[in-house]
């Protein structure tokens, strides 16, 4: 596994390297030139702005902000999954944006520690915005040294979506709550030519569902230990892996799940080619109305001896947050105006109403136009919560774990090999 010092050195060496090196990915940030040091231009780097859920609302918010602050220009840079890599490259050149909008995961876990972004705790208090943040969100964005890595913004509920119409067509009378019921339902669905559980077994959606299933037999502390250390040798972890393998080899997951992605998963569910998916809020918001009308949300079915009392879901408050860069501290007045605007109740309410986003901030607004998102918000104590491992997995192990996920979803792979693949992801990173 790469040492954190390697990343620290990589970023710390930035100014010297920048002059002599052609930096990979810098072309994606080609706008980071010239006027970027203009004190009247705020540069924001975001994953919103194209097809990501909430993008239209975000772009409209930027327009309103510009109108309210005519003397302050806002340059909006957009990247998708490669945002973290592009940001680190721009940081090397000391041309990084002032504000970065991205989740707490993988590379970003190390940013505050290596000085790529700054602790925002003081700003959160000085600007009087702490009370706007849900306590759970503040806890998840605070690191072991008490530093708040970013201003929390998006959250998500991550339940299991069940297409009741397809279940009814297959003769499945009730939403499965046990592994045996799920296997029986899957057989009936397959008999009707319907894929049971669709999942991106080749990407992060598969990794999250695998982690959720393994936790069937793990307490929260045990799960935190497993995903922090890469030790899946405990009795509970081994039982969880065996439960996953039993479900997989019984045909619970869609054919060739090891090659599917989050996009193919969404397509299969939304076109009714598959009856069940593990769907975070952003995916629930995309379910077409004609499918949403006969879809219910709930938890993942349990096995005998599970440590949870009710079927499980995932929840997290570590989706998009507002990170402040070292360059941003040089324009902190502009950053304050922007953050105050984005935290305003009316701005937050529009993300909920127009885009169906779950927020890490306090709000009384409900996603009335996104019934599945609202239904997931109402699940409350009717389900148990498994641990989302994102903030515990060492950054260098995140991508190897996704590779291990594809191996795990390949039919016939034994529980021992699944465990070995997971543990190797930590050792080889």
């Amino acid at each position: 596994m790469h040492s954190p010092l390697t990343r620290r050195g990589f970023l710390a060496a930035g100014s010297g390297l920048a002059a002599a090196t052609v930096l990979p990915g810098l072309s994606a940030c080609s706008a980071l030139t010239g006027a970027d040091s203009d004190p009247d231009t705020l540069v924001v780097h975001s994953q919103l702005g194209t097809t990501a859920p909430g993008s239209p609302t975000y772009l409209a918010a930027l327009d309103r902000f510009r109108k309210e602050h005519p003397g302050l220009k806002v340059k909006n840079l957009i990247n998708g999954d490669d945002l973290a890599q592009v940001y680190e490259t721009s940081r090397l050149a000391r041309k990084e944006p002032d504000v970065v909008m991205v989740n707490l995961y993988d590379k970003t876990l190390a940013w505050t520690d290596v000085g790529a972004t700054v602790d925002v705790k003081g700003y959160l208090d000085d600007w009087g915005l702490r009370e706007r943040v849900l306590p759970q969100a503040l806890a998840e964005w605070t690191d072991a040294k008490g530093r708040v890595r970013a201003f929390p913004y998006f959250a998500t509920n991550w339940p299991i979506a069940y297409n009741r119409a397809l279940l009814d067509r297959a003769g499945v009378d009730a939403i499965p709550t046990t592994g045996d019921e799920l296997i029986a339902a899957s057989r009936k669905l397959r008999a009707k030519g319907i894929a049971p559980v669709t999942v991106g077994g080749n990407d992060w959606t598969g990794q999250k569902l695998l982690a959720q299933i393994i936790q069937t037999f793990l307490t929260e502390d045990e799960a935190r230990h497993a995903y922090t250390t890469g030790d899946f040798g405990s009795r509970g972890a081994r039982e969880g892996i065996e439960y996953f393998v039993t479900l997989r080899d019984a045909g619970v997951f869609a054919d060739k799940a090891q090659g599917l992605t989050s996009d193919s998963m969404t397509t299969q569910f939304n076109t009714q080619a598959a009856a069940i998916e593990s769907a975070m809020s952003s995916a629930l918001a995309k379910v077409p109305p004609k499918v949403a009308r006969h879809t219910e949300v709930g938890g993942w079915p349990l096995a005998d001896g599970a440590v949870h009392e009710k079927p499980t879901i995932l929840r997290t408050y570590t989706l998009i947050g507002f990170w402040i860069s070292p360059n941003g501290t040089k324009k902190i007045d502009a950053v304050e105006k922007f953050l105050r605007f984005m935290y305003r109740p009316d701005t937050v309410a529009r993300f909920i109403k127009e885009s169906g986003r779950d927020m890490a901030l306090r709000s009384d607004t409900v996603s009335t136009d996104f019934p599945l998102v609202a239904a997931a918000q109402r699940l409350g104590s009717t389900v148990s919560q498994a641990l989302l491992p994102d903030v515990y997995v060492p950054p260098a192990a995140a991508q190897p774990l996704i590779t291990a996920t594809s191996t795990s979803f390949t039919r016939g792979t034994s529980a021992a090999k699944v465990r070995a693949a997971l543990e190797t992801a930590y050792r080889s990173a």
Side-chain angles (χ1 to χ4, degrees):
M1 182 184 303
H2 298 304
S3 164
L5 290 176
T6 301
R7 182 176 297 279
R8 183 190 302 277
F10 174 76
L11 290 169
S15 58
L17 288 172
T21 308
V22 177
L23 299 172
L26 189 58
S27 60
C29 269
S30 57
L32 289 173
T33 58
D36 297 329
S37 59
D38 179 356
D40 296 323
T41 299
L42 181 69
V43 184
V44 181
H45 195 182
S46 176
Q47 291 179 307
L48 299 180
T50 55
T51 59
S55 292
T57 301
Y58 171 66
L59 295 176
L62 285 183
D63 287 342
R64 292 198 307 277
F65 180 76
R66 291 183 177 110
K67 290 178 181 176
E68 292 184 18
H69 302 277
L72 177 61
K73 300 175 185 175
V74 180
K75 182 179 292 186
N76 186 42
L77 308 176
I78 303 169
N79 280 106
D81 291 341
D82 59 343
L83 182 146
Q85 180 64 42
V86 173
Y87 174 77
E88 290 189 357
T89 303
S90 66
R91 172 61 189 155
L92 276 172
R94 298 299 191 259
K95 290 183 177 293
E96 79 273 10
D98 305 310
V99 176
V100 192
M101 297 172 61
V102 68
N103 59 338
L104 182 60
Y105 174 61
D106 195 3
K107 292 175 180 292
T108 67
L109 287 165
W111 281 0
T112 306
D113 212 33
V114 300
T117 53
V118 304
D119 176 9
V120 306
K121 181 179 178 180
Y123 299 123
L124 194 65
D125 291 330
D126 291 346
W127 300 343
L129 298 178
R130 176 181 289 270
E131 295 306 313
R132 296 278 297 119
V133 184
L134 294 172
Q136 304 96 313
L138 196 58
E140 291 189 5
W141 282 93
T142 301
D143 69 12
K145 297 180 180 178
R147 298 172 298 198
V148 182
R149 291 162 157 133
F151 285 77
Y153 208 56
F154 285 172
T156 189
N157 283 287
W158 206 323
I160 309 299
Y162 296 91
N163 185 321
R164 280 304 304 263
L166 295 182
L167 292 174
D168 289 344
R169 187 190 308 173
V172 179
D173 296 331
I175 298 295
T177 59
T178 70
D180 289 342
E181 291 176 358
L182 179 59
I183 291 172
S186 298
R187 288 172 178 161
K188 291 181 177 179
L189 287 163
R190 284 184 174 278
K192 293 291 184 180
I194 303 167
V197 180
T198 181
V199 60
N202 196 35
D203 67 13
W204 54 276
T205 53
Q207 186 229 341
K208 301 299 184 294
L209 183 58
L210 172 60
Q212 183 176 349
I213 296 172
I214 290 175
Q215 290 181 59
T216 301
F217 296 96
L218 291 177
T219 66
E220 183 174 321
D221 285 345
E222 291 169 340
R224 188 178 296 109
H225 169 79
Y227 280 95
T228 300
T229 64
D231 174 12
F232 293 87
S234 70
R235 179 178 177 180
R238 286 186 282 110
E239 289 180 340
I241 293 172
E242 288 170 0
Y243 179 45
F244 167 80
V245 168
T246 297
L247 295 177
R248 183 202 64 200
D249 290 348
V252 161
F253 302 110
D255 291 343
K256 300 180 180 177
Q258 71 274 17
L260 300 180
T261 65
S262 57
D263 287 341
S264 46
M265 177 191 79
T266 301
T267 299
Q268 285 193 347
F269 187 84
N270 290 354
T271 59
Q272 305 196 79
I276 305 167
E277 69 169 347
S278 167
M280 61 192 305
S281 304
S282 55
L284 292 174
K286 288 183 175 179
V287 176
K290 67 177 182 180
V291 179
R293 278 196 294 273
H294 46 69
T295 294
E296 295 182 14
V297 294
W300 183 261
L302 299 178
D304 290 341
V307 300
H308 297 278
E309 295 182 354
K310 302 168 185 173
T312 62
I313 70 167
L314 298 171
R315 289 191 179 104
T316 184
Y317 299 88
T318 55
L319 292 190
I320 285 178
F322 296 96
W323 307 66
I324 300 178
S325 75
N327 273 344
T329 63
K330 301 172 186 174
K331 307 176 187 175
I332 202 63
D333 290 344
V335 173
E336 178 181 357
K337 290 184 176 71
F338 182 67
L339 264 298
R340 285 186 180 280
F341 174 85
M342 295 303 291
Y343 262 46
R344 252 174 30 191
D346 62 313
T347 305
V348 171
R350 293 185 70 155
F351 276 103
I352 297 171
K353 293 178 66 175
E354 297 174 3
S355 302
R357 299 300 315 221
D358 282 320
M359 305 300 291
L361 305 180
R362 299 180 192 277
S363 177
D364 295 327
T365 305
V366 179
S367 301
T368 52
D369 291 337
F370 300 89
L372 295 181
V373 177
Q377 292 168 345
R378 292 193 297 266
L379 282 173
S381 60
T382 64
V383 291
S384 292
Q385 185 172 337
L387 181 80
L388 185 74
D390 286 6
V391 299
Y392 303 106
V393 175
Q399 290 306 314
L401 264 185
I402 289 177
T403 301
T405 298
S406 182
T407 299
S408 304
F409 275 92
T410 302
R411 280 203 189 193
T413 305
S414 68
K417 287 185 177 179
V418 170
R419 175 189 164 191
L422 295 174
E423 294 184 340
T424 299
Y426 284 73
R427 288 198 298 270
S428 62

